[in-house]
Amino acid sequence: MSLRLGDIAPDFTAETTQGTINFHEWLGNSWGMLFSHPADFTPVCTTELGKTALLKDDFAKRGVKVIAVSVDDLASHGKWVPDIEEVNGVTVNFPIIADSDRNVATLYDMIHPNASEKATVRSVFIIGPDKKVKLTLTYPASTGRNFTELLRVIDSLQLTANYQVATPADWKDGEDTIVVPAVSTEDAIAKFPKGVTVVKPYLRYTPQPNK
C-alpha cells in the first residue's frame, strides 16, 4: 500500500555508501529527502545525483538531509560514484542506499510493475522532523526531476510548519504568502506585523514572514 501524506515514514536499517544507517536515527531532528533512482550507470540518474551533490549547501541551509536509493548493490554504487563525480565535477556527499533485497523499495512502494518490474521509479519523499511524510512525487524513469522545484516545495513546507502560511501558485522564495484558513483575519493582523491584504475573506496575503 502506498504511503500517504501525514503517514509516519517507514523506518529501516540499510547498507549505504557511507556505512550502515538506521533511517530514523540518521534523520534525527532534521528534515529529510529520500529519493529513488531506477538504476546505477544510467544517464538521467547520473545527472540527478550530480545535481543533488551540487546543491549540498542549499539543502544544508534548510536543515535537510538527502539520501538516494536504488535496487543495486553496494559494489555497484561504489563503481558508479566516480562516474557521477567526473561527469558533474562534484564530490558525492550524501549516502546512497544499497537495496538489492528491495526492502526500502517495497516499504515506500517504489516499484511500479506496469512501468518496470525490477527498477524503482523516480520517487521523492520529503519527511519532516516529526518523521511524517510531507510530500510525495513520482516521475517516470525517462524524466529527470526539477531540483529547483524540490527546494521551492521544501521552502513552502517549512513556512507552513513554522509560520501558519501557505504559498500560492508559482510562488517563489521572497514573494507574498497566504494566511492559512485556520487563522482568523483578526488574529492574522496581530500575528503578521508586516501587514495582511484581504482579497476575499478566505484569501489573505501577507509578506513572507521570515524575510
Side-chain angles (χ1 to χ4, degrees), residues 122-134:
R122 295 190 194 283
S123 295
V124 183
F125 296 88
I126 304 297
I127 300 160
D130 57 4
K131 308 297 185 293
K132 292 182 179 179
V133 176
K134 306 299 182 181

Side-chain angles (χ1 to χ4, degrees), residues 78-150:
K79 293 175 182 177
W80 181 42
V81 164
D83 282 6
I84 300 168
E85 295 182 333
E86 177 190 349
V87 168
N88 298 283
V90 296
T91 298
V92 174
N93 40 41
F94 56 90
I96 307 172
I97 296 167
D99 192 40
S100 55
D101 63 1
R102 302 188 185 184
N103 178 47
V104 178
T106 300
L107 285 172
Y108 285 80
D109 194 28
M110 292 173 169
I111 295 178
H112 296 192
N114 290 329
S116 171
E117 294 184 358
K118 297 180 179 179
T120 51
V121 290
R122 295 190 194 283
S123 295
V124 183
F125 296 88
I126 304 297
I127 300 160
D130 57 4
K131 308 297 185 293
K132 292 182 179 179
V133 176
K134 306 299 182 181
L135 172 129
T136 65
L137 287 171
T138 301
Y139 292 74
S142 57
T143 302
R145 283 162 279 216
N146 183 328
F147 282 79
T148 300
E149 169 63 5
L150 292 177

Side-chain angles (χ1 to χ4, degrees), residues 4 21 39 45 56 60 83 90 102 109-110 116 121 129 131 140 144 150 152 167 175-177 192 204 206:
R4 296 178 179 179
I21 67 156
C45 300
K56 176 185 178 181
D83 282 6
V90 296
R102 302 188 185 184
D109 194 28
M110 292 173 169
S116 171
V121 290
K131 308 297 185 293
L150 292 177
R152 188 189 79 93
T167 53
E175 296 178 348
D176 285 355
T177 59
F192 301 111
R204 292 122 348 129
T206 188

Side-chain angles (χ1 to χ4, degrees), residues 30-75:
S30 298
W31 288 73
M33 185 178 83
L34 170 66
F35 67 107
S36 58
H37 59 276
D40 295 352
F41 300 102
T42 52
V44 177
C45 300
T46 301
T47 66
E48 286 200 320
L49 272 71
K51 186 66 173 181
T52 303
L54 283 168
L55 293 172
K56 176 185 178 181
D57 292 342
D58 295 275
F59 286 112
K61 75 180 183 181
R62 292 166 172 83
V64 178
K65 292 183 175 181
V66 297
I67 188 165
V69 59
S70 78
V71 296
D72 298 288
D73 61 25
L74 202 57

